[in-house]
Amino acid sequence: MSTRRGIAALAAAASITLLLGACSSGQADADSASSTDAATATSLADFGSLEDLEAAAKAEGQLNVIALPRDWANYGAVLDAFAAKYPEITINEASPDASSAEEIQAAETNEGLDTAPDVFDLGLTVALENTDMFAEYKVEQWDAIPDELKDPDGLFTGDYGGYMSIGYDSSKFDEPEALEDLLGDEYRGSVAINGDPTQAGAAFAAVGLATVQNGGDLDDFGPGIDFFSELNAAGNMLKLDVTSATVASGETPVVFDWDYLNVTHAADNPDWKVKILPGTGYAGYYNQAVNKDAPHPAAARLWQEFLYSDEAQNLWLAGGARPVLADAMAEAGTIDQELFEALPEAPTEVVVPTSDQSAAAGELLGSEWAAAVG
C-alpha cells in the first residue's frame, strides 16, 4: 500500500466515527489590537486577516498549552517553531505527560483563571465526550481537511495520526509476527503500553488493537482486555510508564504505541524496530480544540492556524506522524516528499471505533481493566 493510500485509508476509517457518531489581564490590550471579540471568533475572517489575529495574540502575550511532550510526534520542534515565529508570545507548557482526560480536568479545575489551558490536544474518545468544553473554530485550511477528520461545527479537528504498533529492542527479541508471540516466555516482564487505557488515548488504542487482533471487533473490547489479562498472568506485562529514558535504559524493551512515537525511539536505542502487525490495523488521529474559556483566546486561535500551516504539518511528518493535510499538500507540492514516502507501510485493513463503540469500550475498561491486569 502506498503512503498516499495509507493516509486515505486512515481518513476513511475515521470517517465512520465522525459520521456516526474569563479573560486574562492582557485581554484589554488585545481588544485594542482588534475590534473582534477573540473569544467568539469562529474563523480567521472574524479577525479580518492573519495579521489582525497575530496582533491580537501578541497583545495577549501568552499561550497556555498542556499535555504536549516534546518527544511526542515532534512537538518540541513545533513549539519551538511557534516561539521563533512569535517571540512576543510566551508559551506556558504545563504537565507535558498528562493524559487527554487530565487535560479536561485541568480546564475544569482552573476555569476562570489565567492558568487554564487555552488549547487541547486530545484522543478522539475524550474529544467526543467533552465537546461542551470547546469553542467552535475553523482554521483557514478547513476546506482541505477531510470531512471525516473534523467536527462539522469546528469544535475539534484531526491534526496528525498513525497506526498502533509494537516497538521492540531487536537486540533482545525477534520481530513479533503475531499478537500471540508476546505471550512467550522470552517476553517475561518486557511488554508495556503507553499509559492507562481508561485515561490515555494511546493505551486505549493498544487494547483496541489487541481486540481486533485477538478475534474480536470494536463492538466489544472484551477480547483485548482478555489478551492483556493473559499477558499479565504470564508475567509478561510491564507496568511502567513509557518514556524515551525507559527505552534508552532498556527498562521498557517492548512497547505498544502509535507508530510515529515508536519510530522516534530509534534515537534512544539504535536497535529499536517498529512492527505494524499484519491483518487488521487500528488507526487514530489526535485532535486540536480551543478551550471555550481560554484565558488567551486570540493566541489559542493563532496556535490553531499555525498547527495547520505547511510548516507545522511538515514538522509532524518529520516526527513520523501522518499530517491531516498530507494529501492536499502533496497535490500542492508543499509536502516534504522524501519524508512522506518514508512513512511505514499502512495496514491493508484499518478500523477506528465509532463514538458509540468508544463510549462502550470506555465503560467496559472502567469496570474490568483494573481487575484484569491486577
Side-chain angles (χ1 to χ4, degrees), residues 284-328:
Y285 272 88
Y286 276 80
N287 301 272
Q288 305 294 342
V290 174
N291 183 357
K292 70 177 184 180
D293 296 316
H296 312 105
R301 286 155 175 81
L302 183 60
W303 173 249
Q304 301 299 299
E305 295 291 350
F306 178 75
L307 291 179
Y308 293 91
S309 67
D310 290 346
E311 179 181 3
Q313 291 283 294
N314 274 318
L315 287 173
W316 297 137
L317 194 57
R322 292 163 171 81
V324 73
L325 290 169
D327 287 343

Side-chain angles (χ1 to χ4, degrees), residues 73-95:
N74 211 24
Y75 247 123
V78 173
L79 289 160
D80 291 344
F82 183 87
K85 189 176 182 71
Y86 302 111
E88 304 89 347
I89 302 173
T90 299
I91 304 176
N92 305 305
E93 301 177 44
S95 306

Side-chain angles (χ1 to χ4, degrees), residues 65-68 72-73 75 78 103 118-124 127 134-139 142 145 149-151 154-161 285-291 300-301 303-308 312-313 316 324:
V65 301
I66 187 172
L68 305 183
W72 175 287
Y75 247 123
V78 173
E103 293 183 57
D118 288 307
V119 291
F120 304 107
D121 177 298
L122 303 163
L124 182 59
F134 311 147
E136 294 183 11
Y137 190 76
K138 298 180 179 181
V139 294
W142 178 261
I145 299 170
L149 295 176
K150 59 192 179 187
D151 174 78
L155 290 169
F156 61 86
T157 309
D159 191 9
Y160 60 90
Y285 272 88
Y286 276 80
N287 301 272
Q288 305 294 342
V290 174
N291 183 357
R301 286 155 175 81
W303 173 249
Q304 301 299 299
E305 295 291 350
F306 178 75
L307 291 179
Y308 293 91
Q313 291 283 294
W316 297 137
V324 73

Side-chain angles (χ1 to χ4, degrees), residues 243-283:
T243 66
S244 295
T246 64
V247 172
S249 67
E251 293 174 90
T252 53
V254 182
V255 176
F256 279 88
D257 210 343
W258 298 113
D259 59 343
Y260 55 87
L261 299 182
N262 263 327
V263 165
T264 64
H265 290 314
D268 308 312
N269 180 347
D271 295 313
W272 193 259
K273 304 294 182 184
V274 181
K275 175 72 172 184
I276 296 177
L277 293 174
T280 304
Y282 188 106

Side-chain angles (χ1 to χ4, degrees), residues 333-373:
T334 57
I335 201 163
D336 187 316
Q337 195 64 36
E338 183 177 352
L339 290 174
F340 192 38
E341 294 176 352
L343 288 173
E345 185 175 352
T348 55
E349 181 182 351
V350 180
V351 295
V352 175
T354 67
S355 55
D356 288 344
Q357 288 171 330
S358 293
E363 290 180 8
L364 187 65
L365 285 163
S367 63
E368 297 189 8
W369 177 254
V373 300

Side-chain angles (χ1 to χ4, degrees), residues 123-147:
L124 182 59
T125 301
V126 174
L128 288 166
E129 292 172 345
N130 293 280
T131 54
D132 60 333
M133 298 285 291
F134 311 147
E136 294 183 11
Y137 190 76
K138 298 180 179 181
V139 294
E140 188 174 24
Q141 295 297 324
W142 178 261
D143 289 343
I145 299 170
D147 289 343

Side-chain angles (χ1 to χ4, degrees), residues 204-215:
F204 180 96
V207 182
L209 175 65
T211 295
V212 298
Q213 289 275 331
N214 199 31

